[in-house]
C-alpha cells in the first residue's frame, strides 16, 4: 500500500478542515471550495491527517515538500552513528610481527569508535593451554588501554577464547573528528596551487574518511587466517663471472 498522502482530486471526502499556505486555520470547508483555493494559490491540496474527522488538508507545493523531506531524511541518516563490532582472530603462538599488524587494526577500529571482538583460536594440543590465550588477550588489552577498555572479559567458547573491547570514544565523536580532518585537508589543498608538489601529494589523500560507516575493513578481517609465507632465501646463488679474454 502506498504511504504517500492523497492530493487534489484523489481526496474523496465531502468536506475538509483546511490549513492555509502559511499555516493559518481556514476552517471546515467543502472539498470543492478547498480545491478552488488550491488552484487560486497555484498550490496542491494535501491530506495531512486522513484519520481526523473531517480530514485535515493543507495548501502547499507538494513537489517542494517531498524534496525537502527527502533531504532531511538523508541528513538524518548521515548523522546516525551505528556502532559496528569488528572481529580480529589470533593464534596463541602468534608471530611478533603478525601481532603488531593485527594490533594496528584493533587500534584503527577503536579510533573509529567501533567495538572489537578478539578471538583466540586453539588447535590440537593448544587446547590444553588456555592460559596462553588468556595472557595474549591481557597483553592486547594493556597495549590499547588508551583507546579502549575490556567490555567483555575473556571467556572460553569451545576451541576459541573470546574477548570484546569497547572504545573510549563514541562513534559520533569519531565521525565528527574525521569530518573535521577531511575539511581541514580539503581547505589546505584549495589554498595551494594545483601544479605544486605539495598539492599533488595532498590530492592523493582519500576523502572517504567520513563514508557512511567510516569504511569497514571486512576484507582485512577475512584474510587474517591466511598462512604466512615462507621466508625468502637469505642469499642467492653467486653470479658466475665471465672468463677473462686472452691476449692475441
Amino acid at each position: 500500500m502506498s504511504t504517500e498522502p492523497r492530493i487534489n482530486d484523489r481526496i474523496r471526502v465531502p468536506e475538509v478542515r483546511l490549513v492555509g499556505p502559511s499555516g493559518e486555520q481556514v476552517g471546515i470547508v467543502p472539498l470543492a471550495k478547498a480545491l478552488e483555493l488550491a488552484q487560486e494559490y497555484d498550490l496542491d491540496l494535501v491530506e495531512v491527517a486522513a484519520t481526523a474527522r473531517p480530514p485535515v488538508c493543507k495548501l502547499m507545493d507538494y513537489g517542494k515538500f517531498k524534496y525537502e523531506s527527502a533531504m532531511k531524511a538523508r541528513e538524518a541518516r548521515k548523522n546516525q552513528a551505528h556502532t559496528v563490532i569488528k572481529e580480529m582472530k589470533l593464534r596463541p603462538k602468534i608471530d611478533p610481527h603478525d601481532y603488531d599488524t593485527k594490533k594496528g587494526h584493533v587500534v584503527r577500529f577503536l579510533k573509529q569508535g567501533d567495538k572489537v571482538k578478539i578471538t583466540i583460536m586453539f588447535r590440537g594440543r593448544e587446547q590444553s593451554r588456555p592460559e596462553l590465550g588468556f595472557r595474549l588477550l591481557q597483553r592486547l588489552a594493556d597495549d590499547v588501554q588508551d583507546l579502549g577498555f575490556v567490555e567483555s572479559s575473556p571467556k572460553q567458547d569451545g576451541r576459541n577464547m573470546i574477548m570484546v573491547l569497547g572504545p573510549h570514544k563514541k562513534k559520533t565523536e569519531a565521525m565528527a573528528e574525521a569530518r573535521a580532518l577531511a575539511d581541514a585537508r580539503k581547505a589546505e589543498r584549495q589554498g595551494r596551487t594545483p601544479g605544486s608538489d605539495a598539492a599533488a601529494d595532498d590530492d592523493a589523500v582519500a576523502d572517504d574518511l567520513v563514508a557512511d560507516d567510516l569504511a569497514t575493513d571486512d576484507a582485512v578481517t577475512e584474510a587474517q587466517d591466511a598462512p604466512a609465507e615462507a621466508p625468502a632465501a637469505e642469499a642467492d646463488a653467486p653470479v658466475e663471472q665471465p672468463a677473462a679474454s686472452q691476449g692475441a
Side-chain angles (χ1 to χ4, degrees):
M1 297 179 61
S2 176
T3 58
E4 293 189 0
R6 295 183 296 182
I7 64 173
N8 299 329
D9 296 336
R10 295 175 55 192
I11 302 174
R12 303 293 185 181
V13 291
E15 59 183 14
V16 297
R17 184 178 298 276
L18 186 63
V19 179
S22 302
E24 68 276 11
Q25 295 291 333
V26 178
I28 299 176
V29 299
L31 178 61
K33 178 63 175 178
L35 291 172
E36 182 181 341
L37 290 174
Q39 292 180 356
E40 181 180 340
Y41 284 103
D42 194 21
L43 295 173
D44 298 305
L45 181 66
V46 183
E47 189 178 54
V48 294
T51 58
R53 292 291 179 268
V56 180
C57 296
K58 184 177 181 180
L59 297 176
M60 67 174 71
D61 186 340
Y62 186 60
K64 180 180 179 181
F65 171 76
K66 286 185 64 176
Y67 173 77
E68 291 177 349
S69 299
M71 293 301 294
K72 289 179 181 179
R74 180 180 178 183
E75 189 67 22
R77 289 194 301 269
K78 181 179 179 181
N79 293 329
Q80 284 179 347
H82 299 287
T83 301
V84 180
I85 298 182
K86 308 285 188 176
E87 183 175 12
M88 189 63 58
K89 297 181 179 180
L90 297 83
R91 294 291 307 280
K93 299 179 181 180
I94 187 172
D95 181 82
H97 176 73
D98 291 340
Y99 173 81
D100 292 337
T101 300
K102 295 192 176 185
K103 183 183 72 174
H105 294 320
V106 174
V107 168
R108 179 158 46 87
F109 294 151
L110 293 174
K111 284 183 178 180
Q112 294 174 355
D114 294 322
K115 297 181 181 180
V116 187
K117 176 183 176 182
I118 311 298
T119 302
I120 304 295
M121 301 179 298
F122 297 95
R123 295 179 183 174
R125 296 182 179 179
E126 294 175 347
Q127 299 180 53
S128 62
R129 301 290 303 278
E131 65 275 8
L132 296 178
F134 185 79
R135 286 200 296 264
L136 181 60
L137 291 176
Q138 281 189 322
R139 174 188 173 189
L140 181 60
D142 292 339
D143 290 344
V144 299
Q145 62 181 348
D146 294 339
L147 299 173
F149 61 95
V150 178
E151 185 174 287
S152 178
S153 301
K155 295 179 181 178
Q156 191 77 24
D157 183 14
R159 294 189 300 175
N160 300 329
M161 183 175 289
I162 298 173
M163 178 182 71
V164 178
L165 295 175
H168 291 313
K169 186 184 301 182
K170 294 182 179 180
K171 185 73 171 181
T172 52
E173 296 176 359
M175 292 174 62
E177 290 182 4
R179 289 196 187 98
L181 179 60
D183 292 341
R185 288 178 175 175
K186 185 179 296 183
E188 185 178 357
R189 290 198 303 270
Q190 291 175 351
R192 297 177 177 177
T193 57
S196 64
D197 294 339
D201 293 339
D202 282 346
D203 287 337
V205 179
D207 287 335
D208 55 356
L209 294 172
V210 290
D212 300 342
D213 270 351
L214 285 174
T216 60
D217 298 287
D218 296 334
V220 174
T221 58
E222 291 177 0
Q224 299 304 322
D225 298 332
E229 296 181 359
E234 295 182 356
D236 297 329
V239 179
E240 184 177 353
Q241 300 293 332
S245 58
Q246 296 180 357

